[in-house]
Amino acid sequence: MSNWKTPAVLSSEITPQEVYLRRREFMRISAWAALGATLPGSLFAGEKLSGVVRTPYQLSDPLTPLEDITHYNNYYEFGTDKESPGKTAGSLKTRPWTVAVEGEVHKPKVWDIETLLKLAPLEERVYRLRCVEAWSMVIPWVGFPLAELIKRAEPTGNAKFVEFTTLNDPQQMPGVGSPVLDWPYREGLRLDEAMHPLTLLAVGLYGEVLPNQNGAPIRLVVPWKYGFKSAKSIVRIRLLEQMPQTSWMKAGPSEYGFYSNVNPEVDHPRWSQAKERRIGDFFKRPTLLFNGYAPQVAQLYAGMDLQKFF
Amino acid sequence: MITKIKEKWLAAGKSLVFLAALMPLGKLAWLASHQGLGANPIEKITHTTGYWTLSFLLLTLTATPLRALSGWLWPVRWRRMLGLFAFFYACLHFLTYLVLDQFFDWTAIVKDIAKRPYITVGFAAFVMLTPLAATSTNNMVRRLGGRRWKLLHRLVYLIGILGVVHFWWLVKKDITEPAQFAGVLTLLLGFRVVQAVRKRLVR
């Protein structure tokens, strides 16, 4: 009999070999991170955003890889096919950048992007994104609720709607030379939709500065509506008394309504919205009412005929 | 002697065209095996096979005007092969829809064909293309008789139109590509209309 005893080390405390073998890489990354922390505020896509708070807005669905999120984009200002924005959006200059908040507000203001980045704590929120073309992704956005910005503008009693305008600069955006949409790109929400806690102004994804092709430096994310409602590279937010006309409503009034809530029961006139293909999946999955956010947003549309107000 | 050499060149040319016609499929296969089909591979395959179906249809329809304008005979000798390639890519296109896109969801497919005009016309074009492929052999020409065979194969004009309409109706907003196909098709069919009118006037 041996009197040698197994040392009392928990197996969880043992460094896995593959981590041990990567110790030099760890040192290298740490060194870069330390250097990065000494630099002034983030500017470029791919740079880590600091001070991002994790929130309960998480999903059990696996995240869509960054590669797919950044190379399969509908951003017509940079071309109508999905590969173009990833190739050409590098020409977009995201600094200096301002966002004008105006219209039916007591305190109109032109915000500098650097100030906006510090307006509220940056939160990571994982949202489903459902495109009107029947594909979907799961994206870890970084941003803050749009309500934070609108509150500071103090909407007047007349304010009922919010209009978002995307930059329209032919110098930086090769696609706006084509008359495929009525530029600048305009989108809109009802004020209560805009103030909803789910409605986000995103400045990053995967913990990093938002890539240009995804709408840098600041974009809207409304997860229960089709993707085109979430305007990119916003330069103006205007509060209005009347419902604004949006670029897609103008392009196809029978196909794209003001609300454009994700709804498997209301087909696009030319294709079904009952199912969607999650990017990376082979089989299609059923589309959920309000993209699965019905518990949070259904009350906004209580009593409304969703077939009529599509 | 000269005709023999010419025959040899023609046969070599036809083989080259055959190989060239397989290149779109080869490229797809290469991309598929190198993860090069992008974020939505099924959409990419559907669009690529559809694009080449239409391209080969238009190439097939180019043979007759080219012969009439140039006097060359070779375009017409390659016509059957080009037409069969159109059918080949149409089959791949349809199979992509059936297997990869819908995965044999027959209820969804029947609904699509009945309810979505762009799918209705695309499917109709595919169905009409099938008898043309089936009667493409010399033997079938003989069995049908030249007149009847010719009459049947005039369906290709309608198939070309339906194919372009299918493309036009499915794009979300940017109609540049379907408009290019429509332009070429208009020229090719217009040529035939002008010729038919002329023939009538001469008589």
Side-chain angles (χ1 to χ4, degrees):
Chain A
M1 227 184 103
S2 161
N3 56 6
W4 189 83
K5 272 171 75 182
T6 309
V9 175
L10 286 172
S11 62
S12 60
E13 286 179 27
I14 299 170
T15 307
Q17 196 192 14
E18 66 267 25
V19 174
Y20 172 75
L21 290 174
R22 283 173 58 204
R23 62 198 186 279
R24 281 165 199 278
E25 192 187 331
F26 173 76
M27 295 296 288
R28 199 169 60 238
I29 290 170
S30 309
W32 279 112
L35 181 66
T38 64
L39 294 171
S42 311
L43 270 174
F44 302 107
E47 272 184 42
K48 203 96 194 135
L49 285 164
S50 55
V52 177
V53 189
R54 261 179 84 88
T55 60
Y57 295 96
Q58 304 292 326
L59 294 172
S60 53
D61 314 34
L63 301 180
T64 304
L66 181 66
E67 170 76 12
D68 290 343
I69 298 174
T70 53
H71 290 85
Y72 191 74
N73 306 97
N74 273 326
Y75 195 169
Y76 282 14
E77 283 84 341
F78 293 100
T80 55
D81 67 295
K82 304 223 174 19
E83 286 80 29
S84 288
K87 290 178 199 148
T88 62
S91 55
L92 179 68
K93 286 193 277 298
T94 57
R95 294 295 187 286
W97 191 279
T98 56
V99 181
V101 181
E102 57 188 49
E104 289 291 344
V105 291
H106 293 298
K107 290 187 174 165
K109 183 174 174 177
V110 177
W111 292 82
D112 187 77
I113 186 69
E114 307 296 349
T115 321
L116 278 181
L117 285 168
K118 290 173 201 125
L119 187 77
L122 293 183
E123 302 174 23
E124 176 169 274
R125 295 191 183 192
V126 180
Y127 282 167
R128 284 179 287 268
L129 174 112
R130 169 62 156 80
C131 178
V132 74
E133 298 163 5
W135 53 266
S136 63
M137 293 185 179
V138 179
I139 303 178
W141 298 107
V142 176
F144 58 89
L146 170 65
E148 292 288 343
L149 180 58
I150 293 183
K151 264 191 262 166
R152 283 167 173 80
E154 295 177 15
T156 68
N158 291 334
K160 302 275 182 322
F161 294 92
V162 188
E163 182 196 58
F164 304 87
T165 308
T166 298
L167 178 73
N168 177 26
D169 182 358
Q171 298 291 318
Q172 304 178 51
M173 300 171 140
V176 297
S178 140
V180 65
L181 285 174
D182 183 31
W183 311 112
Y185 192 90
R186 277 151 298 133
E187 257 310 334
L189 294 173
R190 228 167 49 188
L191 184 57
D192 57 342
E193 296 175 324
M195 297 300 287
H196 193 280
L198 277 176
T199 305
L200 202 67
L201 275 175
V203 295
L205 58 86
Y206 267 107
E208 295 172 351
V209 172
L210 199 62
N212 288 357
Q213 62 267 37
N214 295 91
I218 191 163
R219 66 166 291 170
L220 189 64
V221 180
V222 194
W224 71 92
K225 292 173 179 282
Y226 292 119
F228 67 87
K229 291 296 292 179
S230 297
K232 300 185 179 81
S233 309
I234 295 170
V235 293
R236 190 173 67 169
I237 297 174
R238 194 156 60 126
L239 282 89
L240 301 166
E241 191 173 359
Q242 303 294 329
M243 180 186 282
Q245 169 90 304
T246 74
S247 291
W248 277 106
M249 282 164 78
K250 219 170 170 186
S254 64
E255 300 191 330
Y256 308 100
F258 178 79
Y259 287 94
S260 290
N261 291 315
V262 175
N263 190 339
E265 305 287 322
V266 180
D267 283 343
H268 186 282
R270 287 183 284 154
W271 56 82
S272 165
Q273 296 291 25
K275 289 201 254 174
E276 69 199 50
R277 174 166 287 115
R278 179 69 52 81
I279 293 304
D281 282 3
F282 177 72
F283 291 107
K284 288 184 179 176
R285 63 177 66 210
T287 288
L288 305 170
L289 179 62
F290 300 119
N291 203 19
Y293 297 98
Q296 292 97 319
V297 301
Q299 89 282 350
L300 293 173
Y301 311 102
M304 270 175 70
D305 180 354
L306 297 177
Q307 299 276 342
K308 197 176 155 206
F309 298 101
F310 60 93
Chain B
M1 188 62 194
I2 287 170
T3 48
K4 237 185 182 172
I5 292 170
K6 221 176 155 189
E7 278 300 310
K8 252 190 178 166
W9 277 110
L10 270 176
K14 196 173 170 182
S15 306
L16 271 180
V17 174
F18 183 90
L19 288 175
L22 282 171
M23 276 174 62
L25 178 64
K27 193 182 169 196
L28 264 186
W30 193 87
L31 286 175
S33 59
H34 290 76
Q35 302 192 330
L37 291 176
N40 198 344
I42 297 172
E43 182 189 71
K44 180 97 180 174
I45 297 170
T46 310
H47 287 176
T48 309
T49 50
Y51 178 90
W52 286 103
T53 303
L54 267 181
S55 301
F56 278 106
L57 269 176
L58 295 189
L59 277 173
T60 311
L61 286 167
T62 311
T64 304
L66 195 58
R67 178 187 58 184
L69 293 173
S70 66
W72 300 327
L73 279 175
W74 55 265
V76 176
R77 293 181 55 177
W78 296 351
R79 185 173 54 187
R80 166 163 53 193
M81 185 174 76
L82 294 170
L84 284 171
F85 267 113
F87 181 64
F88 173 69
Y89 280 103
C91 287
L92 291 179
H93 186 61
F94 181 71
L95 279 173
T96 307
Y97 169 73
L98 180 73
V99 184
L100 299 182
D101 192 47
Q102 299 290 338
F103 199 70
F104 307 105
D105 184 348
W106 297 107
T107 18
I109 292 170
V110 170
K111 247 192 193 164
D112 256 1
I113 294 174
K115 252 180 103 175
R116 315 283 162 211
Y118 85 91
I119 295 184
T120 316
V121 296
F123 184 69
F126 177 65
V127 167
M128 283 189 252
L129 204 52
T130 315
L132 304 201
T135 57
S136 64
T137 61
N138 290 339
N139 196 16
M140 285 307 286
V141 181
R142 235 175 289 125
R143 278 175 64 180
L144 277 170
R147 267 183 79 97
R148 263 186 293 172
W149 187 91
K150 252 189 160 168
L151 205 63
L152 174 67
H153 279 249
R154 284 207 179 125
L155 264 183
V156 73
Y157 305 144
L158 181 57
I159 291 166
I161 293 169
L162 292 181
V164 170
V165 170
H166 168 69
F167 193 11
W168 195 294
W169 281 352
L170 77 86
V171 294
K172 198 160 112 197
K173 193 69 200 22
D174 187 0
I175 52 155
T176 314
E177 271 195 346
Q180 286 163 352
F181 277 110
V184 175
L185 183 69
T186 308
L187 280 178
L188 295 173
L189 295 185
F191 177 85
R192 288 164 167 88
V193 172
V194 169
Q195 276 217 323
V197 171
R198 264 199 195 155
K199 243 184 193 171
R200 236 178 235 167
L201 288 179
V202 170
R203 263 186 227 157

